Structure formats: structure tokens, C-alpha cells
Amino acid sequence: MEAHSLDPAALARRRSTLSSSTYSTTSGSSPDLTTVITPDSEDDATPSVVPKIEELDEGATAGLEDAKSVLPLDHLASPASRKRGRPRKHPSLDQKKSSHVRSKTGCGTCRRRKKKCDESRPFCTNCEKNNVVCDGYEPRQPWQARRSTTLTVRTAIPAELPMLVEGVDGTVDQMFFHHFTAHVGKVLSLTDHQNPFLEIIVPMAMGHAGLMHSLLYLSGSCLMANDPSPRSEWEERQEHHSSKAMRLLQDDLAESASGDQSTVATIDDPSIAQTLLLCLQTVCAGDLTGTYRYHLDAMKIMLTQRAATVPNEQLRQFILEFLLYHDYSSSITSLGNPLDQRSIDLMEGFKLPEFMIQPQAGTLLGVMDGLFGFISRIRRLRDQIRQRRVQGAGHWWDADIIDDAFAIDDALRAWKCVHPPDSPRYAPSLLYRQCTWIYLHRTIQLSQPSPTFTEAVDQGLAYLRMLPWSTDDGSTQSILLMPLFLLGCAAFQPDQRPEISEAFQRLQSWSSLGNIRYAREIVEEVWRMMDEGMEEETWDWETIIAKRGWDFLVT
């Protein structure tokens, strides 16, 4: 009889039932497993499954004994208690209990009762069938994954702090602001005490974004005008402040214009202060396209045509003086922009308020001293003479022109300096009067060397030497470009020019204003023409500037 090989595990299970089962063997037949249902006790309602084992022949027994020798001893342990229920006809011998993952999304009642929840909403069906109160479901957290077993930790993202001062964002802007308060604001004003740029403009900018952007735009322009290779982040921030300043100013003006047209238009203090700073930016950046004219004209409109009222009277006086100073200075270098009637009216009506000390409280020389009124009258004479030159008149002047020139000369001789000799403004005031007279003499007389020109320029250089040039006390240098330009255009003698060139260099090093180098280039061009025998053409330096396509201020 052929021996049948048996699974050792199956054999072990067979042995585990020998104590409660009997073997029935059929001679000459193969071993066969049948099921016999026998109750374990009278109380058992469910019968137990007892395998029926037939007797094995000798070959099979021998195989059984061989298998027994290799079975581990732990397989001989007593069987576990049998489960209730109807057994399978062909039970799986290698069945393993599958693992179960408990759901965490069921309702509170089912989870507490450890029952499977169908997760119906708003209340599960199982709770309704069992007539129990459904506790509902826990709200899902947005950071929890629905079926994820990985714990997700939500980290707090720190909120970005607001800007300490609106408009000043980052280290570059802070550098621009510091440069204005430490240098630019002092360069632009003649006053050492009660500097309007530092005591009026800066505090106002701290609470007005548009004015702060204008201030940073001006300061950044001063830095970049004297840096041959400015950093890209400087250029980026400077362009940012430029666009923001222009847009916010337009918004402010549009808002003020949208009010009741029957009432007097009120221009906010920051708006007119922005216009002033934007005008100064063109000077500091060395703009040659005449952009400053738009800002000067806007200030005239704010102060005259719209009958605007500036609530801060001290600010209005400062801006009015600034406007007149730069407007009248533009007449010295501009060919096609003579002073209009608005400027003349503003100059004639310019009066200091009673709370200001007259006229020492002025920020800029010339306006409050009355000297700029002479400059505007000399400019009109130059326009008349230029017209006669174009017409080919034999003489540049006529009786009316000479009469006006004599009247200006008498007024300049009668002019008295209001500053005491020990004042830092005493020498600059005398220098301004001297250069104003040189401007008159250069306009009336022939453009050629003369003892009078030499004496007048020498006296101007003497006043120039009286000025302090130290960095600690250099406030008077802020108004020296215009007198230096007029001195240079009248320096026919070569030995007078080095001192003027040195003064240009000191002024450039001290102030770093972008328009200084262009004024110096024009003066050096005039000197070259003088040395080449072209003295006559040097009379009309306005045309020399215009031929280069330049339009800038000597302020």
C-alpha cells in the first residue's frame, strides 16, 4: 500500500483530538477525514466538531512516526476552546485572525459603546435603531487628514510687524532717511537754528506717507547723483519712492479739488511740502531737462490762482521764499523762461509774518534781503538787449535801458546789510550784493576785459574768503552756487579762475548736489571762449546753455 505524506501541522491537530475522539479505520482504504457532531455535554446547545480519523496502515503509521519526530513540542499543547456556531464543511487549517483598525470618525455614542457607526449625518442610523441619543460627531480640524495615521503638528507662523514709520521700509530706506536728517536737510537751508527742513518738513513727513516718500526720493537722489556705480537696491528703492510720491500727491490734489467749488480751495500742508521736495529732487539729481519748472509752476498755482490757503503760516512763508528764490535764480540761466507776472506779484507782496524776526529769520539769502528784486529787473534788461542784438542794432541799448540800469545801480549802492558784522550771514550778504552788481555790469557793458571787471571780481573773491568752509559750520555754502556762477562768467583774468574752481570743488564735496558740476562746466566753457578770443559770445551764456540742450538751476 502506497504511503501518503501528511502535513506535520495537520498531524499535530489530529493528535490534539485523540483524548476526546475515537478512530474508525477501514481496511485497505486511504485515510479520510469526516466530521462527527457530538455534544460535549448535555448543556451544550451547539455541537462540537470532532474529526473522524480512520486507522492507518503500517506505511502510513511509519510516516506518521517520522513526522512526529520533527514536530516541535509546543504543537502538542492542549487545544484552545472551540467557538460556537455551525462549523465549516471544509475548515481552513491555516486561518489567522485579521487585524481591525478602529475608526475615529464615528459618533460619540457608538465610540463609547464600542459599536460600529455608519457615520450617517446629522445622527447615525444605529443610534436611531437602538433608540439611544446620538452624541453627534467631533468637528474636523482643518489640519487633520481624514484617513491619515500620521500626527500633524500645526506650527504658528509669526505675523509680520508693521512699519515703525509709514513709508520707511527696510535698511535702505532707513539710510535714506538718516542721510536727509544728517546732511541733506542742512545743505538745503542757510539757517543753523530753526531749520525748516528739519523742524517742519521732517515731523510732518512722520505722519504723512506721501511726504515721506518724497523725502526719501530726494535723499536717495542726492546719494546716487554722486555715486558712479550706485547699488541696484538703491535704484530700486529710489524708483519705488518716486512712483509712490507722485501717485499719492495726485490723489491728495484730486481729493482737494473734488470739494465744494464755491469755497476757497484748501491745499493741505503736506501736499505743498511734497511739491517743494520734488522740485529740490531735480536740483539734487542734476536734472538737465527743466523738470523743476513743473514743480515751481505748481507751487505758484497753489499760492495764487487757486487762492489756496496753507493752514500753517510759517510753512507758507518758508515755501513762498523757496519758490521766489528758485524762480528768480532760474532767470539767470534760462533763455526762454523770463519771470512771469505771478512771480513779480509774489515778490512785491512778500512780507514776513509778525511772529518772525525780520529779516534775519529768512531761510535763503536774497529774497528777504530784497536783492532778488534787482535780479528780476536785470533779467528784463538782458531780454531787451538780446532782442536788439538779434535785430542787428548798432547799439545794444537805448535811453530807456540805460535809465533802468542807473536806477538799479543807485538802489544797489543804497542797499544796507541788515546782519551785524559778527553774524555768519554778513559776508554772504555782501557777496550776493557784489555778484548782483557784477550781473548788472556784465549786462550793460561790452563783453571784454576791463579794470572794472577785474576789480569787481577781486572784491567778490575777498568776500568769498570770509566764508567758513569747515564741515561743522558750512551752512552758508548752501547758497553759494549762484554767486560762484556769476563770478566765473565775469573772470576774464586767468589768475582769478583757480580760486573760483577751488570753491566749486569745495562746494561739490560739501553738498554733493548734482547740478554743481553742470554749472562748473558752463563756466569753464566761458573761460575757454574768452581765451580763444570769443569774448563777445560769452555775454550770452544763456544761449551757451541752451545749445547744449540743458536747463538747470544754479541754486
Side-chain angles (χ1 to χ4, degrees):
M1 184 175 186
E2 183 180 358
H4 296 271
S5 61
L6 298 176
D7 183 19
L11 292 175
R13 283 192 293 272
R14 287 185 181 183
R15 287 193 180 93
S16 68
T17 61
L18 292 179
S19 61
S20 59
S21 306
T22 59
Y23 285 96
S24 62
T25 60
T26 304
S27 178
S29 62
S30 301
D32 187 22
L33 288 176
T34 60
T35 57
V36 178
I37 304 175
T38 59
D40 292 339
S41 65
E42 294 180 356
D43 297 334
D44 289 338
T46 305
S48 300
V49 178
V50 181
K52 179 180 179 180
I53 305 176
E54 296 180 353
E55 291 183 3
L56 303 176
D57 54 15
E58 294 179 359
T61 305
L64 182 62
E65 292 299 328
D66 295 336
K68 178 179 179 181
S69 64
V70 299
L71 290 175
L73 295 179
D74 57 355
H75 283 268
L76 300 177
S78 59
S81 59
R82 295 183 296 274
K83 294 183 178 181
R84 297 176 181 272
R86 185 177 181 84
R88 293 183 178 180
K89 186 175 182 180
H90 301 288
S92 174
L93 301 179
D94 273 342
Q95 250 184 343
K96 292 184 179 179
K97 185 177 180 181
S98 61
S99 60
H100 174 67
V101 178
R102 183 179 298 277
S103 172
K104 297 182 180 181
T105 57
C107 71
T109 303
C110 289
R111 294 184 64 186
R112 188 172 63 256
R113 297 177 66 227
K114 299 183 179 179
K115 301 294 183 181
K116 181 174 178 59
C117 181
D118 63 359
E119 301 186 22
S120 299
R121 294 179 185 271
F123 304 106
C124 78
T125 307
N126 290 346
C127 290
E128 293 181 354
K129 287 182 179 180
N130 290 285
N131 198 24
V132 295
V133 178
C134 181
D135 291 341
Y137 305 90
E138 294 182 1
R140 288 188 62 189
Q141 302 297 329
W143 55 272
Q144 288 179 332
R146 182 175 180 83
R147 296 184 182 273
S148 174
T149 59
T150 304
L151 180 62
T152 303
V153 180
R154 185 178 184 182
T155 58
I157 301 176
E160 185 176 353
L161 296 175
M163 289 182 287
L164 183 63
V165 177
E166 188 174 1
V168 183
D169 186 7
T171 56
V172 176
D173 289 358
Q174 294 172 12
M175 179 187 65
F176 286 173
F177 183 81
H178 175 76
H179 184 62
F180 184 90
T181 56
H183 184 70
V184 177
K186 298 178 180 179
V187 167
L188 296 176
S189 176
L190 181 64
T191 57
D192 297 322
H193 305 288
Q194 297 182 345
N195 185 325
F197 289 99
L198 301 181
E199 298 191 10
I200 299 178
I201 301 298
V202 171
M204 192 180 298
M206 295 290 288
H208 190 275
L211 184 56
M212 179 58 72
H213 284 295
S214 300
L215 184 150
L216 298 178
Y217 177 38
L218 166 61
S219 182
S221 299
C222 292
L223 282 172
M224 294 174 59
N226 294 275
D227 194 331
S229 57
R231 303 176 184 177
S232 58
E233 56 266 29
W234 292 12
E235 296 177 343
E236 179 183 351
R237 295 307 299 171
Q238 196 247 13
E239 183 62 29
H240 166 76
H241 293 304
S242 171
S243 59
K244 292 285 289 184
M246 297 296 185
R247 183 176 61 82
L248 293 175
L249 178 59
Q250 290 174 353
D251 294 344
D252 289 346
L253 294 179
E255 183 178 354
S256 64
S258 62
D260 187 1
Q261 299 298 325
S262 61
T263 61
V264 176
T266 300
I267 304 297
D268 292 336
D269 292 346
S271 297
I272 196 167
Q274 271 189 265
T275 309
L276 180 147
L277 293 183
L278 292 175
C279 179
L280 280 174
Q281 185 276 332
T282 65
V283 176
C284 296
D287 178 75
L288 297 173
T289 62
T291 308
Y292 68 90
R293 300 187 187 280
Y294 299 105
H295 303 299
L296 291 178
D297 194 61
M299 281 189 278
K300 292 179 186 179
I301 294 175
M302 292 179 182
L303 295 173
T304 57
Q305 290 185 4
R306 297 181 61 178
T309 60
V310 180
N312 189 329
E313 182 62 25
Q314 188 176 5
L315 173 66
R316 183 183 186 278
Q317 294 298 321
F318 162 58
I319 291 177
L320 180 56
E321 184 185 9
F322 171 90
L323 167 64
L324 295 174
Y325 176 80
H326 288 79
D327 200 22
Y328 276 75
S329 297
S330 69
S331 65
I332 296 176
T333 55
S334 172
L335 181 61
N337 186 44
L339 294 170
D340 58 17
Q341 190 60 40
R342 291 177 302 178
S343 301
I344 298 174
D345 293 341
L346 287 171
M347 176 62 80
E348 292 177 352
F350 182 80
K351 294 180 180 179
L352 287 174
E354 294 181 357
F355 63 83
M356 298 180 69
I357 303 175
Q358 298 188 23
Q360 290 85 348
T363 305
L364 303 168
L365 281 177
V367 178
M368 293 186 177
D369 293 342
L371 293 173
F372 271 48
F374 301 135
I375 290 177
S376 65
R377 294 168 63 182
I378 297 171
R379 172 57 196 258
R380 287 196 294 267
L381 294 181
R382 289 182 67 85
D383 290 339
Q384 296 174 22
I385 293 173
R386 184 177 292 108
Q387 184 177 5
R388 292 177 62 86
R389 284 164 57 93
V390 171
Q391 295 173 353
H395 297 283
W396 290 5
W397 49 82
D398 58 13
D400 293 335
I401 293 177
I402 292 298
D403 289 343
D404 289 340
F406 281 138
I408 297 172
D409 179 72
D410 292 341
L412 284 172
R413 295 178 187 279
W415 180 87
K416 300 296 182 182
C417 180
V418 297
H419 306 288
D422 59 347
S423 170
R425 296 192 183 189
Y426 181 75
S429 297
L430 297 180
L431 176 63
Y432 258 72
R433 186 193 69 158
Q434 186 72 18
C435 291
T436 302
W437 188 89
I438 291 175
Y439 186 37
L440 174 64
H441 190 70
R442 191 79 165 87
T443 298
I444 297 300
Q445 292 295 334
L446 297 176
S447 182
Q448 59 188 19
S450 69
T452 304
F453 275 127
T454 303
E455 181 183 355
V457 172
D458 284 341
Q459 186 60 51
L461 293 175
Y463 293 138
L464 187 64
R465 298 185 197 106
M466 296 172 61
L467 301 180
W469 286 99
S470 65
T471 56
D472 297 333
D473 188 19
S475 58
T476 54
Q477 301 178 39
S478 61
I479 43 82
L480 290 185
L481 184 57
M482 187 187 71
L484 274 181
F485 182 83
L486 293 174
L487 279 176
C489 290
F492 288 94
Q493 301 300 323
D495 58 346
Q496 296 174 327
R497 299 170 187 173
E499 190 171 356
I500 297 174
S501 295
E502 184 181 353
F504 269 113
Q505 184 59 43
R506 288 199 304 263
L507 184 60
Q508 178 69 56
S509 301
W510 179 79
S511 69
S512 300
L513 298 182
N515 61 333
I516 297 176
R517 62 176 178 268
Y518 301 116
R520 184 176 181 179
E521 284 188 33
I522 296 300
V523 169
E524 291 175 348
E525 175 67 14
V526 169
W527 291 346
R528 185 189 62 81
M529 296 174 65
M530 289 178 176
D531 295 340
E532 294 178 357
M534 303 170 62
E535 295 93 342
E536 189 65 31
E537 287 81 356
T538 62
W539 180 91
D540 194 2
W541 59 74
E542 297 95 334
T543 300
I544 297 174
I545 297 174
K547 285 182 177 179
R548 292 196 178 197
W550 292 359
D551 187 359
F552 63 93
L553 286 168
V554 286
T555 57

